[in-house]
Amino acid sequence: MTSQTKRSITLTETHSLTTIQDLGRTGLGFLGVPSSGALDRGAFLRANRLVGNHPSCAAIETTYFGVSFIAGSECTVAVTGALCRVELNQRASSWGVPLALRPNDVLRIGAAQQGVRAYLAINGGIDGESYFGSSSTDLLSGVGPAPLAPNDVLMLGNSHGHAPAIDLAPYLGPGEQPLLRVHLGPRSEYFNVQEQARFLGQRWQISSSSNRTALRLHGSNPLSYQGPELPSEGIVTGAIQIPHDGQPIVFLADHPVTGGYPVLGTVCDLDLDHCAQLRPGSTVMFQSTPTCSRDLLMRSATHHY
Amino acid sequence: MSMSSDPLWSTSHLSVRPYGDYGYLIDVAQAPLIPSLFNFLRSAYVQDRRRPIVDVIPAERSILVISTLPAHDIIDIIEAWDPSVEQGAPARIIDIPTRYNGPDLEEVARQWNVDVQAVIDIHVATTFTCSFCGFLPGFAYLTGLPQHYSVRRKATPRTALSAGSVGLAGAYCGIYPRSSPGGWQILGQTEFKPWRIDRDPPGQIMPGDKVRFSEIS
């Protein structure tokens, strides 16, 4: 079923934020290690499903710019996440479907046309070195493999040989007028009713300094707040921290485990994937929601599928 | 639409607030209780093979629990904690041999209104406790200095502090696990490695551990 020789691909083009990601490492926050992992988990999981992989298999995450590689052996690949041009041996090929590659085939993924981060999954997954149960590159703390570079040879895991569970992934980007649902708290009492209304009532622009650590937002009406100096406290992915300048910061997968500014609200887990795809210069609004999506974290945070 | 974040539950010394879909932030009125509650919650995490508690993150005055459990289960667990019972293994005492040659000894001496030798003597005589980790993997926030020995951070942070730098900020002491920019006042240098990726756990100073510094030349 699977070849005895180790399968691999060789990268020919990478950019500064081309990294290996999986579902991240959990349970190490008390040591100061963020969870890391694919920013757009939904797109990451769809890529793995398209090639018949276990959901935890490591894949490649790109940021705006694409990636190219030469297949060292037969493999099945799929590209999801940001919409981008896919070329197989210099001919237009398809995004969001499984592609069968033969040895020496060249696959090129172009720059993102919509969204920011694309995912490239390969059947068998990337068999990278595991750091505390994950192959994810954590750019904040330096845990995990280095960002990818041209001429890197990536070994592939054994393919289970399962037929893909799906054969087409739709584009599920944040849309033209993205709205992120938030649970207010835990420090919303630092903000009076007018400031909370100001937060929910304006369009926030995504700053170009956004990265895997955080989305940095800019609004024409920055928030203000009063209250005692807050001692540093644990922060969760999706936490919206308001520093003294009143411009919100939304923490993403590579966030520091603690922070010292009040957290006004937290982006609903269901909407975190959109944060991965918001382009600098675009705008976003927040909507308060009381409901929870607890069942989904079962999947993403504990790795039990 | 709720505009406030009222605690889900509170007592005279604890209050629990929801934090996003899966977080519970426990404010702890008395900071010295944090290691005990942390160890209690962490043992609940380790003992339950279903791993419904994903992470337990202690900080200065709070503990963040990330869990798929509903609020009433989390509160049941917290209610079972008895602060008078020693939690987990007895605290280890970790010795940190330190060369007191740091660039900020004189500034700390000025802030404490003592001479440089007294800064070293006070630091060596203090038994520190790791309250929590953060900032960088393996960076332990060590408490134990009396509040009147709090120091102000550098007005301008240094762009690069070497791994092993031993410094003070506020009433905290810390050891830089790797080279990093930083605003802490540096007293000296140690060969001790707080973060070892080849060990399990990689963090060599954990919340609840006791730490003492010894002077080497």
Side-chain angles (χ1 to χ4, degrees):
Chain A
M1 186 170 69
T2 52
S3 161
Q4 290 305 301
T5 53
K6 196 75 178 154
R7 300 182 310 134
S8 66
I9 62 169
T10 302
L11 301 180
T12 52
E13 177 200 352
T14 65
H15 294 275
S16 61
L17 291 171
T18 310
T19 59
I20 297 176
Q21 297 295 337
D22 54 24
L23 291 168
R25 44 187 77 81
T26 53
L28 298 168
F30 73 105
L31 295 174
V33 179
S35 60
S36 193
L39 279 202
D40 184 341
R41 289 170 299 174
F44 165 83
L45 292 171
R46 284 191 291 281
N48 268 336
R49 286 188 71 193
L50 284 169
V51 299
N53 277 351
H54 188 274
S56 63
C57 283
I60 293 176
E61 180 182 278
T62 66
T63 310
Y64 301 111
F65 302 105
V67 61
S68 302
F69 70 88
I70 302 173
S73 48
E74 287 188 359
C75 56
T76 305
V77 304
V79 181
T80 63
L83 270 185
C84 49
R85 187 176 164 85
V86 178
E87 289 175 9
L88 179 54
N89 298 328
Q90 297 183 311
R91 291 182 175 213
S93 185
S94 299
W95 180 99
V97 298
L99 304 172
L101 270 58
R102 292 164 304 179
N104 300 318
D105 277 351
V106 177
L107 193 83
R108 178 170 185 277
I109 298 170
Q113 292 160 358
Q114 284 185 52
V116 177
R117 294 175 174 91
Y119 293 86
L120 167 69
I122 307 154
N123 70 322
I126 295 166
D127 192 12
E129 197 174 342
S130 176
Y131 299 81
F132 316 119
S134 167
S135 306
S136 290
T137 299
D138 172 359
L139 295 166
L140 180 86
S141 69
V143 173
L148 297 172
N151 303 318
D152 281 356
V153 177
L154 303 180
M155 306 311 285
L156 304 177
N158 287 328
S159 171
H160 304 294
H162 295 154
I166 50 172
D167 59 10
L168 173 71
Y171 178 72
L172 299 173
E176 292 291 313
Q177 303 281 324
L179 192 63
L180 299 177
R181 287 166 290 179
V182 299
H183 303 299
L184 291 176
R187 299 299 179 197
S188 48
E189 76 270 17
Y190 276 69
F191 303 84
N192 64 29
V193 173
Q194 288 84 353
E195 292 301 319
Q196 293 192 19
R198 196 193 299 277
F199 171 67
L200 296 170
Q202 72 176 300
R203 293 202 158 275
W204 297 95
Q205 191 172 54
I206 312 297
S207 152
S208 59
S209 57
S210 301
N211 54 25
R212 282 185 48 87
T213 296
L215 273 182
R216 288 168 191 279
L217 306 183
H218 187 271
S220 45
N221 295 302
L223 307 182
S224 61
Y225 58 92
Q226 288 181 329
E229 189 82 1
L230 189 71
S232 285
E233 61 190 22
I235 47 185
V236 302
T237 304
I240 305 164
Q241 180 179 269
I242 314 292
H244 292 314
D245 67 5
Q247 305 287 6
I249 294 172
V250 183
F251 283 114
L252 304 181
D254 288 0
H255 66 80
V257 297
T258 58
Y261 298 106
V263 170
L264 169 54
T266 307
V267 176
C268 174
D269 198 64
L270 287 167
D271 289 350
L272 274 178
D273 289 351
H274 292 330
C275 296
Q277 303 296 1
L278 292 169
R279 295 171 79 106
S282 69
T283 60
V284 69
M285 286 189 79
F286 295 101
Q287 181 183 55
S288 172
T289 176
T291 56
C292 288
S293 47
R294 194 161 291 276
D295 53 326
L296 280 172
L297 180 85
M298 279 291 208
R299 300 189 330 188
S300 57
T302 65
H303 296 192
H304 294 315
Y305 278 78
Chain B
M1 186 175 71
S2 166
M3 278 296 201
S4 68
S5 63
D6 294 329
L8 290 167
W9 178 83
S10 58
T11 67
S12 58
H13 55 283
L14 298 177
S15 69
V16 180
R17 283 164 212 274
Y19 192 167
D21 284 319
Y22 314 106
Y24 298 96
L25 187 61
I26 310 170
D27 283 310
V28 183
Q30 294 161 280
L33 292 178
I34 286 178
S36 165
L37 181 55
F38 166 75
N39 282 323
F40 178 79
L41 293 168
R42 177 123 186 103
S43 62
Y45 158 80
V46 170
Q47 278 162 18
D48 192 328
R49 295 191 147 270
R50 295 170 303 145
R51 294 292 161 89
I53 294 178
V54 176
D55 210 344
V56 183
I57 302 168
E60 280 184 69
R61 296 299 293 271
S62 63
I63 297 177
L64 169 63
V65 177
I66 300 183
S67 176
T68 53
L69 291 173
H72 59 85
D73 284 348
I74 290 290
I75 289 163
D76 282 350
I77 291 171
I78 297 168
E79 278 192 307
W81 169 60
D82 179 352
S84 64
V85 176
E86 186 77 24
Q87 301 296 341
R92 300 181 295 174
I93 298 179
I94 299 165
D95 177 55
I96 312 285
T98 302
R99 198 165 277 115
Y100 285 90
N101 56 358
D104 301 319
L105 276 170
E106 285 184 13
E107 180 165 344
V108 172
R110 264 198 306 279
Q111 290 194 29
W112 286 2
N113 207 15
V114 297
D115 62 30
V116 164
Q117 187 56 46
V119 171
I120 298 168
D121 293 344
I122 291 163
H123 196 249
V124 165
T126 304
T127 300
F128 292 92
T129 303
C130 173
S131 292
F132 61 99
C133 299
F135 172 49
L136 291 170
F139 192 99
Y141 286 79
L142 306 174
T143 53
L145 278 178
Q147 204 60 40
H148 62 267
Y149 286 139
S150 284
V151 299
R152 290 182 298 280
R153 288 166 190 248
K154 307 292 293 176
T156 306
R158 290 197 171 85
T159 52
L161 290 170
S162 55
S165 293
V166 175
L168 302 178
Y172 290 107
C173 177
I175 305 162
Y176 279 74
R178 61 179 189 147
S179 173
S180 160
W184 291 46
Q185 304 280 1
I186 302 306
L187 303 183
Q189 191 73 25
T190 180
E191 301 283 311
F192 180 85
K193 291 182 170 54
W195 182 253
R196 297 193 55 168
I197 204 141
D198 56 333
R199 298 275 180 93
D200 184 20
Q204 299 304 296
I205 305 175
M206 308 266 275
D209 282 342
K210 303 283 180 198
V211 174
R212 294 200 61 152
F213 293 85
S214 56
E215 183 173 13
I216 54 170
S217 51

